[in-house]
Each structure stands twice: as structure tokens, then as C-alpha cells.
Amino acid sequence: MSTEAVKQKLLMVANSGVYFDFPPEQIQAYTREVVSFLKNHKDTVDNIEYFNLLELQFWLDIFTSRDVDAKIVLDRISDQFASVGTSSRLKILQSAYYEAQGDVERAKKVLGDDANQLRLQRRLTTFQRQNPEAYITALNRYLDTCGSDLMAWSELATQYTNTGHYDMAAYSYQEILLQEPSAYPFWFRAGTSYYQQYLQQQKSLKPQPAIELLDLALKHFARSVELCHVYDNGWKGIQSLVDLGVPAKLKSAPGSDAYAKQLAKLKPLIPTSTTN
């Protein structure tokens, strides 16, 4: 992958907030990648891109308990913006760092009392994570006033998934895709939400809406690998639908023939490594 392609991939990850839902092995891989990129290719990014990637490195360091590295990055960002006062974005990073240290009270205190600053308001909602329903309500309230916050939409989708509301998770991912149509991990996640909804409701669903959910899942998985041909998760999603095929009770549903043809068309394209 070219340096420019790596840069664009990392910026997409940084700007979309998709990394908040990465599994541990993916967090580790991206940590190594962003550290290496900033070390070897800093001259290829402008100031805004540089600090977006530094912020990505900070969060990945926090998630992997690399507290010393996170503090170094945080100090670097703080030094840059010290002359313009403490921004809400910087307060959020400082709050996250203190929370990672186990100092929840200081994490709350650094945010201040001005909940009207939208970024700080979102950060304050995270302290309700122990109560999923309250957290969902707080995130929705925040998104009513700041619908462009992709990280909040991603977090909301995760909470809906954790509570089994797969239809609402899919809706949240669609809100992200409206703003970031090239964010292939979210095409995969939306597809997964549709598939999970099908699995959850398959016994009660009538044939046509069941096929529609499977078709939506397939289209979203296919779009993810169209945007990134080597995206394993997208291919695994397609493989899972190919393995399922068209269930017998759905074969008479309108659209089932077209869906079966799409499965047949995609099956030979699945990389061998996915099928093994």
C-alpha cells in the first residue's frame, strides 16, 4: 500500500471514530501502523492531519494501556495549543487520560461546568456507561444537537448492538455513512447489524422482509470490499451469507431469486484465505 493510501486509511479511521470498536488485535495493529507512519512520513501530512493522527495515537495508546506513551502524545498536543487556551477537544483528551489512571473525579473536573460546549457534553455522557439505557438516552440527546459527530453515532450503534437493538444500530451506522460514504468498516458493521437482526427475528419474520434483511446485509458487505478489496471482515461477512444460502422457507419470497444470483456471483470472488 502506498504512503498516500496508508495516510488516507489512517485519517479515515481517525476522523470516523471507528477505532473505538476495534478488537484488541486490531488496536495493536493500528497502534504500530500510526506510530510508524508519524515517525517515517510526518513530512507527508499538513498540521491538521498531523494532529488528527496524533489524537488517534493517543486513543490507541489509552486502549492498550500504554499510559506513558499516551502522556507523551498528550503533552505534545498540549504544548501545541497552550497559546490558544485549553480547547474542549484537549479537555476531552485530558479527561480520558485521568480516567485511564483511575482518577474519575479529576476526569470529570477537567471538563468544567460548561455542558453547553457540545464536545464536553458528549464526554460527560460517557460517565453514564454503566447504565446502558441511560447512556443511549444521553447519546441521543447529544446527537439531537450535534448530528455530525461520527464518534457519537458509532458509540450509539455499539450500545444498541450490546442491548440487542440491531435495527437501531443499523440506523446509526447509516447516519455515519451519509457523512463518510467511503468508511468501509462501517459498511461492514451496518451489514452485520442487518444480519444480526435477521438472525434475531428469523422465526417471526415473514419471507419477504427476511430476504430484504439478508439482501441489505449482502449489499453492505459487498460495498465494504468494493471500497477495500483486501478487507477481510467484509469477505467473511459475504462468506457467512454464502454459507447460509437461501433458506428453504424464503425461496418463494419476492426478491429471493435475485438474492441467490448475487450470492452465486460473489462466491467465486471470495479470497481463499477467507474460506479456509
Side-chain angles (χ1 to χ4, degrees):
M1 190 178 291
S2 69
T3 299
E4 180 62 24
V6 172
K7 181 180 84 169
Q8 293 304 322
K9 181 184 73 170
L10 291 174
L11 286 171
M12 183 277 292
V13 169
N15 294 331
S16 67
V18 65
Y19 53 90
F20 277 93
D21 295 329
F22 279 168
E25 63 275 9
Q26 200 168 8
I27 291 175
Q28 294 283 359
Y30 270 94
T31 301
R32 291 191 296 270
E33 191 167 16
V34 72
V35 169
S36 175
F37 185 86
L38 288 173
K39 178 181 178 181
N40 299 308
H41 304 290
K42 181 181 175 182
D43 59 329
T44 66
V45 297
D46 60 32
N47 282 341
I48 293 176
E49 292 171 337
Y50 175 66
F51 284 102
N52 282 340
L53 292 179
L54 267 187
E55 185 174 343
L56 172 61
Q57 182 184 339
F58 169 82
W59 285 112
L60 295 177
D61 286 337
I62 288 291
F63 297 156
T64 52
S65 300
R66 294 155 53 104
D67 294 349
V68 173
D69 292 329
K71 186 63 165 61
I72 291 172
V73 174
L74 180 59
D75 288 344
R76 193 177 304 169
I77 295 173
S78 299
D79 290 344
Q80 174 66 26
F81 296 103
S83 61
V84 295
T86 305
S87 70
S88 60
R89 192 167 180 175
L90 181 56
K91 286 181 179 179
I92 290 170
L93 301 184
Q94 292 170 333
S95 175
Y97 176 76
Y98 292 134
E99 186 179 9
Q101 300 303 300
D103 194 344
V104 176
E105 289 306 313
R106 191 173 183 185
K108 292 180 180 179
K109 186 176 181 180
V110 75
L111 297 176
D113 300 322
D114 189 1
N116 292 322
Q117 295 186 51
L118 291 177
R119 286 184 179 274
L120 301 186
Q121 182 181 335
R122 176 165 67 82
R123 173 63 183 150
L124 285 166
T125 67
T126 64
F127 292 104
Q128 300 185 51
R129 282 175 296 196
Q130 293 183 343
N131 184 333
E133 294 301 328
Y135 191 22
I136 287 172
T137 299
L139 284 168
N140 273 305
R141 188 182 301 118
Y142 165 73
L143 284 164
D144 282 342
T145 54
C146 194
S148 62
D149 191 328
L150 303 186
M151 294 183 189
W153 280 114
S154 179
E155 181 64 16
L156 181 60
T158 298
Q159 294 304 312
Y160 277 134
T161 298
N162 291 343
T163 54
H165 296 110
Y166 301 120
D167 55 338
M168 295 307 298
Y171 173 84
S172 301
Y173 287 132
Q174 292 297 345
E175 288 293 325
I176 295 172
L177 293 171
L178 286 173
Q179 300 178 60
E180 287 285 343
S182 62
Y184 57 87
F186 286 115
W187 285 96
F188 165 73
R189 292 182 185 188
T192 300
S193 295
Y194 289 122
Y195 187 37
Q196 289 173 319
Q197 186 180 352
Y198 163 78
L199 294 175
Q200 181 188 58
Q201 302 175 10
Q202 59 181 316
K203 291 183 179 179
S204 59
L205 280 173
K206 292 183 178 180
Q208 184 171 354
I211 279 291
E212 289 173 353
L213 282 175
L214 290 174
D215 188 53
L216 279 170
L218 184 63
K219 282 183 169 62
H220 283 74
F221 290 150
R223 181 58 176 158
S224 74
V225 298
E226 181 182 2
L227 289 167
C228 182
H229 188 70
V230 297
Y231 185 49
D232 287 343
N233 284 340
W235 288 115
K236 289 176 182 177
I238 293 172
Q239 182 67 60
S240 65
L241 293 177
V242 167
D243 290 343
L244 176 68
V246 181
K249 70 175 185 177
L250 305 184
K251 290 185 177 180
S252 63
S256 62
D257 288 344
Y259 175 69
K261 289 178 181 178
Q262 286 300 311
L263 290 177
K265 181 179 179 181
L266 288 167
K267 183 176 181 179
L269 302 178
I270 300 173
T272 306
S273 59
T274 303
T275 57
N276 289 340

